[in-house]
Amino acid sequence: MPKQPMETDVLIIGAGAVGCAIARELSRYELKVMVVDKNEDVGGDASKSNSAIIHTGYDAKPGTLESELVVAANPMYDKIAEELDVPFARIGGILPAFNEEQFEKLAGLREKAFLNRVYDVDYLTAKELLKIEPNLNPKVMGGLYIPRESIIDPFLLVVGYAENACQNGASFLLGTRVTGIYTTDGQVTGVATTAGDIKAKYVVNAAGLYCDEIAAMVGKADYKVNPRKGQFFILDRNTACKVNHIVLPIPTKVTKGKLMCPTIHGNMLVGPTAEDLEDKLDHSTTAEGLESVARDVANLIPGVRLNETITQYCGLRPNKVPEGVCVDVYDDVRNYVNISGVRSTGLTASASLGRHVVRKLMEIGLAAERKESYNPVRKGIRLFRDMDYAEKAEAVKRDPRYGRVICRCECVSEAEIVQAIHSPIPARSIDAVKRRLRAGMGRCQGGFCAPRIIGILARELGVPESAILKNQPGSYMVVGKSIE
Amino acid sequence: MNELICDVAVVGAGPAGLAAATAAKKQGAKRVVVIERDATLGGILLQCIHPGFGLNYFKEELTGPEYASRFAHAAKEAGVEFLTDATVLEVGDGFLRCIGAACGVLEIKAGAVVLAMGCRERTRGNIRTPGTRPAGVYTAGAGQRLVNRQNLMIGKRIVILGSGDIGMIMARRLTLQGAKVEAVVELLPYLAGLTRNRVQCLDDFDIPLLLSHTVTEIRGHQRVEAVKIAAVDDKRQIVPGTEQVIECDTLLLSVGLIPENELTRNAGIAIDRVTNGPAVNQYMQTSLPSVFACGNVVHVNDLVDNVSRESEQAGRSAARFAKGELPKAREIGCKAAAGVRYVVPQRIALSGEDEELTLYFRVLAPGAASKLAATQSGKELVSRKVRRVSPGEMEHLNLKSSALTDADLEVALTAE
Amino acid sequence: MEKTIICTVCPQGCRITVAGEGSNITSVTGFTCARGESYARQEFVCPMRILTGSVRAEGAVEPLLPVRSAERIPRDKIPECMKILRTVTVKPPVKIRDVVVKDILGTGVDIVASAELAAK
């Protein structure tokens, strides 16, 4: 039977932080909103493999759109974190100088911060820095303190945006790749996808790493996106050498440099590298890359225990050539918004980009009434590990599956896993469950829980275990029954 | 919170917990409760369906489930109570808190607690193997659980990193279940596990063993497609030009076990940084006097038979402590000296009881004819000559506690 | 024919060289005890192994029942035995040592349950 043709007012290509933030903003209006993404889950590419930092914008290029967006976004996160139930903390960042050359750069960095309208940047002496960050290299001569540099759970931020958009009427078509954009008389009318055509009045390109390929579909690829790989270490929560702040190296032209910071869940994060690649599919960590992280971070935190690592990963920053965040509309491709150049600060800028893009859409003609029923609040799954004993006792009475701890490292119960599988944006893969609950992110890295979660997913989704994926199609976990 | 009062509470119904609980009951503890997160008793032995257990303890060759079953029956017959499908969340001085589907949240007040949580596996992340992160990278124990308990086949073409016993056992199991095991790759120049496993798991199936090799890269976008291996020199550095690519769909890691001590740490109990388990005295008593520990949670064992004996000691001691009968005494340290990596127990209580103490230890490197000796202030208390030693095979020395004086004990290995 | 066998009776792992044809052994060298010599002789003529595996379980708490050969069987019969095990399904209750396959492949050895099997 032929499927009903899909139709929407606004189609967003890409369900990363930016795409989902835009969807959330649009869901405030009486509009049909649809987000399409080739991945099997929301989270995008770069949005799920980054340093999880909400930047202040102190080191952006002054006067650029990026600077404006990041500086504006940072203060929005207290409210967003509360509304969307996302773990977030303003732990502050420090920029320590360890030699004359670096020390001399501090004034300029502070001046640059001011030009970016980030005024709350203070000088700290070596003594003050070592007091608040005892594991800092004792050679430190002084540095800057940026109190609003913050950390967040990046997976839950994107899931939060997406679920809130969903609960306010937006729809998500995942595992679906856009293969072409239809235009008639210089105006977009919809997209072709692997799941069929979607008629759309407006199309937004929020495809991050692939935004150049989407732009090419309307003949607007006057730029290229090259992946810039960043490799990271995650250290065990019990690691002996920790930091309290985001410890930042003095930036160079190429990269913010290799940092060390806590994650919102208490691990330590160390990295990233900055390696320019050709291949957008190259998600591999390398011995050389990891070694360079080890070398560089040792300058900041000499006692860092990289042998207490529980995992390493890499993310691909969508690096646009030429650089620069742009939100473009065109006279000859109407009703289309092109977002490009969103890179290291994409996660941060998502909050303001959401509003910026909606405003842009309205400038080019999108008419929309405010939705009376819009509810900005999204409650996440109530986590077993956050409950006190009284709440745990209540929970297990309500649902005995709270009494079955599946991920023992992060203390995740079967009840929450089942909830995640049946949530508004259902978790249907091992990684989707992992990102929502942290099951598999602990020190045993899924050694204990993954076999059990395969069973739970198969049961809840009513499919054989051989159909359960780690993430994308082809990532089967098991080949079938051991004895049929 | 619901409450339960007992004399001895045991965390885990694997071989260690079962033996400890039974021994506690036999020692006279009135009420002994074991909390187990699985639905069945037996712990890790339930997935160890291969033979090789009990040669020492029962003088029979049993499979893992058979061995577990004997201890489970003995426990039940002795009157041990079990709370299954329940997970311990917290342990402290004379109490633990757990949650279970049936029992809800429960606080158990116990005269003594015995920790028997076993261990977890070293991961790809711990050993920092570069490459992609596809599906199909499993630790050997996780693979074993999938195949033997969940009836799920992990892959068709397997490369195994690590020649420890679990890796070799899985090489055989996967082959018997129809997979092709392309190779077992071992970083060290010698076999990590028992020779009998090499014969019966690798040689029997013509599975190549590549010593002094390691996996340098994992390849594959969504699922493992291949691994790159290379030879290493005597400093464990990669020898350039020896790289080979082996096509496969699964990488199974058998690269080490780590005692699982999050509960122990959270209770503020002192952990030995070499074993990664709680430091104990000859009574298997931790730095928190009401808490005892036994089995792989204290140190990774090779033979479950030794686990059973050590755990019986823990159970007896816990029962005595609960009755107020365990002597409190000055303790001396028991330290690893030349050639020895660690010793358990790490402390010895000079309790005045005339008991035979067994010191368990592992050597740092394989060696030929050597002497194992325990000395105090330079004076040799006991020694034994051995023909060969290996880090993969736990050693022991027995000595009489009455021979001990008031100084730290040192255990050393010297070449003959 | 000459074969070097690593003895697995004790951790020593003596390398024992056996020479002969079929079941006709002409020499055995390298052993350091009688158990080793007898192991090597058997290994040369007909290697014997304990077979362990699983069979499907229906209506039980677990999907599989671990099984074992009650005694050692000739190693070369093992692949065929594994095929037979794939065709067997058991139902609870099962006790340890209950016979699952009697006299497998005419070896005179039973395949028995190696664990208990409780109903769901």
Side-chain angles (χ1 to χ4, degrees), chain B residues 299-319:
Chain B
H299 59 148
V300 175
N301 280 259
D302 319 311
L303 294 179
V304 74
D305 311 60
N306 290 343
V307 165
S308 299
R309 293 213 178 80
E310 180 187 85
S311 305
E312 283 160 353
Q313 171 72 332
R316 278 193 299 269
S317 308

PDB file of all heavy atoms in Angstrom, chain B residues 299-319:
ATOM      1  N   HIS B 299      41.784 -10.801  45.682  1.00  0.00           N
ATOM      2  CA  HIS B 299      42.824 -10.922  44.657  1.00  0.00           C
ATOM      3  C   HIS B 299      42.381 -11.965  43.655  1.00  0.00           C
ATOM      4  O   HIS B 299      41.674 -12.911  43.994  1.00  0.00           O
ATOM      5  CB  HIS B 299      44.190 -11.282  45.260  1.00  0.00           C
ATOM      6  CG  HIS B 299      44.204 -12.579  46.023  1.00  0.00           C
ATOM      7  ND1 HIS B 299      45.317 -13.394  46.078  1.00  0.00           N
ATOM      8  CD2 HIS B 299      43.265 -13.200  46.776  1.00  0.00           C
ATOM      9  CE1 HIS B 299      45.051 -14.458  46.825  1.00  0.00           C
ATOM     10  NE2 HIS B 299      43.827 -14.361  47.265  1.00  0.00           N
ATOM     11  N   VAL B 300      42.774 -11.764  42.423  1.00  0.00           N
ATOM     12  CA  VAL B 300      42.318 -12.666  41.373  1.00  0.00           C
ATOM     13  C   VAL B 300      43.005 -14.016  41.519  1.00  0.00           C
ATOM     14  O   VAL B 300      44.227 -14.098  41.567  1.00  0.00           O
ATOM     15  CB  VAL B 300      42.596 -12.048  39.989  1.00  0.00           C
ATOM     16  CG1 VAL B 300      42.230 -13.030  38.886  1.00  0.00           C
ATOM     17  CG2 VAL B 300      41.800 -10.765  39.825  1.00  0.00           C
ATOM     18  N   ASN B 301      42.183 -15.049  41.633  1.00  0.00           N
ATOM     19  CA  ASN B 301      42.700 -16.403  41.840  1.00  0.00           C
ATOM     20  C   ASN B 301      42.748 -17.191  40.543  1.00  0.00           C
ATOM     21  O   ASN B 301      42.086 -16.840  39.576  1.00  0.00           O
ATOM     22  CB  ASN B 301      41.756 -17.143  42.802  1.00  0.00           C
ATOM     23  CG  ASN B 301      42.000 -16.784  44.249  1.00  0.00           C
ATOM     24  OD1 ASN B 301      42.628 -17.517  44.991  1.00  0.00           O
ATOM     25  ND2 ASN B 301      41.508 -15.626  44.643  1.00  0.00           N
ATOM     26  N   ASP B 302      43.563 -18.263  40.515  1.00  0.00           N
ATOM     27  CA  ASP B 302      43.572 -19.155  39.361  1.00  0.00           C
ATOM     28  C   ASP B 302      42.659 -20.337  39.569  1.00  0.00           C
ATOM     29  O   ASP B 302      42.041 -20.832  38.631  1.00  0.00           O
ATOM     30  CB  ASP B 302      44.968 -19.749  39.116  1.00  0.00           C
ATOM     31  CG  ASP B 302      46.050 -18.743  39.296  1.00  0.00           C
ATOM     32  OD1 ASP B 302      45.924 -17.652  38.723  1.00  0.00           O
ATOM     33  OD2 ASP B 302      47.024 -19.044  40.008  1.00  0.00           O
ATOM     34  N   LEU B 303      42.644 -20.845  40.796  1.00  0.00           N
ATOM     35  CA  LEU B 303      41.884 -22.060  41.065  1.00  0.00           C
ATOM     36  C   LEU B 303      40.737 -21.759  42.012  1.00  0.00           C
ATOM     37  O   LEU B 303      40.953 -21.201  43.099  1.00  0.00           O
ATOM     38  CB  LEU B 303      42.779 -23.123  41.728  1.00  0.00           C
ATOM     39  CG  LEU B 303      43.911 -23.687  40.884  1.00  0.00           C
ATOM     40  CD1 LEU B 303      44.686 -24.698  41.703  1.00  0.00           C
ATOM     41  CD2 LEU B 303      43.369 -24.351  39.617  1.00  0.00           C
ATOM     42  N   VAL B 304      39.550 -22.154  41.625  1.00  0.00           N
ATOM     43  CA  VAL B 304      38.399 -21.888  42.480  1.00  0.00           C
ATOM     44  C   VAL B 304      38.523 -22.678  43.781  1.00  0.00           C
ATOM     45  O   VAL B 304      37.982 -22.280  44.813  1.00  0.00           O
ATOM     46  CB  VAL B 304      37.089 -22.215  41.733  1.00  0.00           C
ATOM     47  CG1 VAL B 304      36.869 -23.727  41.622  1.00  0.00           C
ATOM     48  CG2 VAL B 304      35.922 -21.552  42.399  1.00  0.00           C
ATOM     49  N   ASP B 305      39.297 -23.773  43.747  1.00  0.00           N
ATOM     50  CA  ASP B 305      39.499 -24.573  44.953  1.00  0.00           C
ATOM     51  C   ASP B 305      40.136 -23.720  46.064  1.00  0.00           C
ATOM     52  O   ASP B 305      39.769 -23.822  47.236  1.00  0.00           O
ATOM     53  CB  ASP B 305      40.407 -25.775  44.653  1.00  0.00           C
ATOM     54  CG  ASP B 305      39.960 -26.549  43.422  1.00  0.00           C
ATOM     55  OD1 ASP B 305      39.923 -25.940  42.328  1.00  0.00           O
ATOM     56  OD2 ASP B 305      39.645 -27.740  43.538  1.00  0.00           O
ATOM     57  N   ASN B 306      41.085 -22.880  45.669  1.00  0.00           N
ATOM     58  CA  ASN B 306      41.728 -21.991  46.649  1.00  0.00           C
ATOM     59  C   ASN B 306      40.752 -20.946  47.150  1.00  0.00           C
ATOM     60  O   ASN B 306      40.764 -20.573  48.326  1.00  0.00           O
ATOM     61  CB  ASN B 306      42.944 -21.291  46.041  1.00  0.00           C
ATOM     62  CG  ASN B 306      44.083 -22.259  45.802  1.00  0.00           C
ATOM     63  OD1 ASN B 306      44.105 -23.359  46.360  1.00  0.00           O
ATOM     64  ND2 ASN B 306      45.031 -21.854  44.980  1.00  0.00           N
ATOM     65  N   VAL B 307      39.913 -20.461  46.255  1.00  0.00           N
ATOM     66  CA  VAL B 307      38.882 -19.493  46.637  1.00  0.00           C
ATOM     67  C   VAL B 307      38.001 -20.100  47.721  1.00  0.00           C
ATOM     68  O   VAL B 307      37.696 -19.454  48.723  1.00  0.00           O
ATOM     69  CB  VAL B 307      38.028 -19.091  45.415  1.00  0.00           C
ATOM     70  CG1 VAL B 307      36.744 -18.395  45.839  1.00  0.00           C
ATOM     71  CG2 VAL B 307      38.822 -18.194  44.479  1.00  0.00           C
ATOM     72  N   SER B 308      37.618 -21.357  47.525  1.00  0.00           N
ATOM     73  CA  SER B 308      36.730 -21.996  48.500  1.00  0.00           C
ATOM     74  C   SER B 308      37.382 -22.056  49.870  1.00  0.00           C
ATOM     75  O   SER B 308      36.753 -21.738  50.880  1.00  0.00           O
ATOM     76  CB  SER B 308      36.350 -23.395  48.021  1.00  0.00           C
ATOM     77  OG  SER B 308      35.672 -23.310  46.779  1.00  0.00           O
ATOM     78  N   ARG B 309      38.645 -22.427  49.899  1.00  0.00           N
ATOM     79  CA  ARG B 309      39.321 -22.574  51.199  1.00  0.00           C
ATOM     80  C   ARG B 309      39.471 -21.223  51.886  1.00  0.00           C
ATOM     81  O   ARG B 309      39.212 -21.077  53.083  1.00  0.00           O
ATOM     82  CB  ARG B 309      40.698 -23.215  51.007  1.00  0.00           C
ATOM     83  CG  ARG B 309      40.567 -24.632  50.540  1.00  0.00           C
ATOM     84  CD  ARG B 309      41.682 -25.530  51.061  1.00  0.00           C
ATOM     85  NE  ARG B 309      41.440 -26.890  50.604  1.00  0.00           N
ATOM     86  CZ  ARG B 309      41.735 -27.326  49.397  1.00  0.00           C
ATOM     87  NH1 ARG B 309      42.316 -26.536  48.522  1.00  0.00           N
ATOM     88  NH2 ARG B 309      41.427 -28.581  49.061  1.00  0.00           N
ATOM     89  N   GLU B 310      39.905 -20.247  51.101  1.00  0.00           N
ATOM     90  CA  GLU B 310      40.101 -18.896  51.634  1.00  0.00           C
ATOM     91  C   GLU B 310      38.772 -18.331  52.138  1.00  0.00           C
ATOM     92  O   GLU B 310      38.698 -17.660  53.166  1.00  0.00           O
ATOM     93  CB  GLU B 310      40.636 -18.053  50.492  1.00  0.00           C
ATOM     94  CG  GLU B 310      40.923 -16.615  50.783  1.00  0.00           C
ATOM     95  CD  GLU B 310      41.286 -15.883  49.506  1.00  0.00           C
ATOM     96  OE1 GLU B 310      40.347 -15.452  48.810  1.00  0.00           O
ATOM     97  OE2 GLU B 310      42.494 -15.753  49.219  1.00  0.00           O
ATOM     98  N   SER B 311      37.702 -18.653  51.427  1.00  0.00           N
ATOM     99  CA  SER B 311      36.393 -18.117  51.775  1.00  0.00           C
ATOM    100  C   SER B 311      35.845 -18.802  53.024  1.00  0.00           C
ATOM    101  O   SER B 311      35.153 -18.181  53.829  1.00  0.00           O
ATOM    102  CB  SER B 311      35.431 -18.282  50.599  1.00  0.00           C
ATOM    103  OG  SER B 311      35.983 -17.685  49.451  1.00  0.00           O
ATOM    104  N   GLU B 312      36.168 -20.063  53.178  1.00  0.00           N
ATOM    105  CA  GLU B 312      35.756 -20.761  54.409  1.00  0.00           C
ATOM    106  C   GLU B 312      36.410 -20.085  55.606  1.00  0.00           C
ATOM    107  O   GLU B 312      35.787 -19.907  56.658  1.00  0.00           O
ATOM    108  CB  GLU B 312      36.125 -22.242  54.326  1.00  0.00           C
ATOM    109  CG  GLU B 312      35.146 -23.016  53.435  1.00  0.00           C
ATOM    110  CD  GLU B 312      35.687 -24.337  52.931  1.00  0.00           C
ATOM    111  OE1 GLU B 312      36.891 -24.639  53.152  1.00  0.00           O
ATOM    112  OE2 GLU B 312      34.903 -25.071  52.299  1.00  0.00           O
ATOM    113  N   GLN B 313      37.640 -19.706  55.435  1.00  0.00           N
ATOM    114  CA  GLN B 313      38.341 -18.982  56.490  1.00  0.00           C
ATOM    115  C   GLN B 313      37.622 -17.671  56.796  1.00  0.00           C
ATOM    116  O   GLN B 313      37.409 -17.311  57.956  1.00  0.00           O
ATOM    117  CB  GLN B 313      39.794 -18.728  56.057  1.00  0.00           C
ATOM    118  CG  GLN B 313      40.589 -17.802  56.939  1.00  0.00           C
ATOM    119  CD  GLN B 313      40.967 -18.408  58.287  1.00  0.00           C
ATOM    120  OE1 GLN B 313      40.264 -19.277  58.812  1.00  0.00           O
ATOM    121  NE2 GLN B 313      42.047 -17.933  58.848  1.00  0.00           N
ATOM    122  N   ALA B 314      37.230 -16.956  55.746  1.00  0.00           N
ATOM    123  CA  ALA B 314      36.524 -15.683  55.931  1.00  0.00           C
ATOM    124  C   ALA B 314      35.201 -15.913  56.652  1.00  0.00           C
ATOM    125  O   ALA B 314      34.837 -15.175  57.571  1.00  0.00           O
ATOM    126  CB  ALA B 314      36.285 -15.008  54.588  1.00  0.00           C
ATOM    127  N   GLY B 315      34.485 -16.947  56.248  1.00  0.00           N
ATOM    128  CA  GLY B 315      33.187 -17.243  56.850  1.00  0.00           C
ATOM    129  C   GLY B 315      33.312 -17.612  58.315  1.00  0.00           C
ATOM    130  O   GLY B 315      32.568 -17.118  59.172  1.00  0.00           O
ATOM    131  N   ARG B 316      34.298 -18.447  58.615  1.00  0.00           N
ATOM    132  CA  ARG B 316      34.532 -18.847  60.021  1.00  0.00           C
ATOM    133  C   ARG B 316      34.860 -17.621  60.851  1.00  0.00           C
ATOM    134  O   ARG B 316      34.335 -17.420  61.948  1.00  0.00           O
ATOM    135  CB  ARG B 316      35.699 -19.822  60.114  1.00  0.00           C
ATOM    136  CG  ARG B 316      35.353 -21.260  59.800  1.00  0.00           C
ATOM    137  CD  ARG B 316      36.507 -22.173  60.226  1.00  0.00           C
ATOM    138  NE  ARG B 316      37.745 -21.871  59.519  1.00  0.00           N
ATOM    139  CZ  ARG B 316      38.120 -22.442  58.369  1.00  0.00           C
ATOM    140  NH1 ARG B 316      37.329 -23.336  57.784  1.00  0.00           N
ATOM    141  NH2 ARG B 316      39.255 -22.122  57.804  1.00  0.00           N
ATOM    142  N   SER B 317      35.748 -16.794  60.319  1.00  0.00           N
ATOM    143  CA  SER B 317      36.180 -15.600  61.043  1.00  0.00           C
ATOM    144  C   SER B 317      35.026 -14.631  61.237  1.00  0.00           C
ATOM    145  O   SER B 317      34.876 -14.039  62.312  1.00  0.00           O
ATOM    146  CB  SER B 317      37.309 -14.894  60.304  1.00  0.00           C
ATOM    147  OG  SER B 317      38.334 -15.794  59.996  1.00  0.00           O
ATOM    148  N   ALA B 318      34.202 -14.484  60.226  1.00  0.00           N
ATOM    149  CA  ALA B 318      33.061 -13.568  60.334  1.00  0.00           C
ATOM    150  C   ALA B 318      32.107 -14.053  61.418  1.00  0.00           C
ATOM    151  O   ALA B 318      31.613 -13.268  62.239  1.00  0.00           O
ATOM    152  CB  ALA B 318      32.334 -13.464  58.993  1.00  0.00           C
ATOM    153  N   ALA B 319      31.872 -15.360  61.447  1.00  0.00           N
ATOM    154  CA  ALA B 319      30.973 -15.924  62.462  1.00  0.00           C
ATOM    155  C   ALA B 319      31.560 -15.701  63.859  1.00  0.00           C
ATOM    156  O   ALA B 319      30.857 -15.321  64.799  1.00  0.00           O
ATOM    157  CB  ALA B 319      30.765 -17.405  62.205  1.00  0.00           C
TER     158      ALA B 319
END
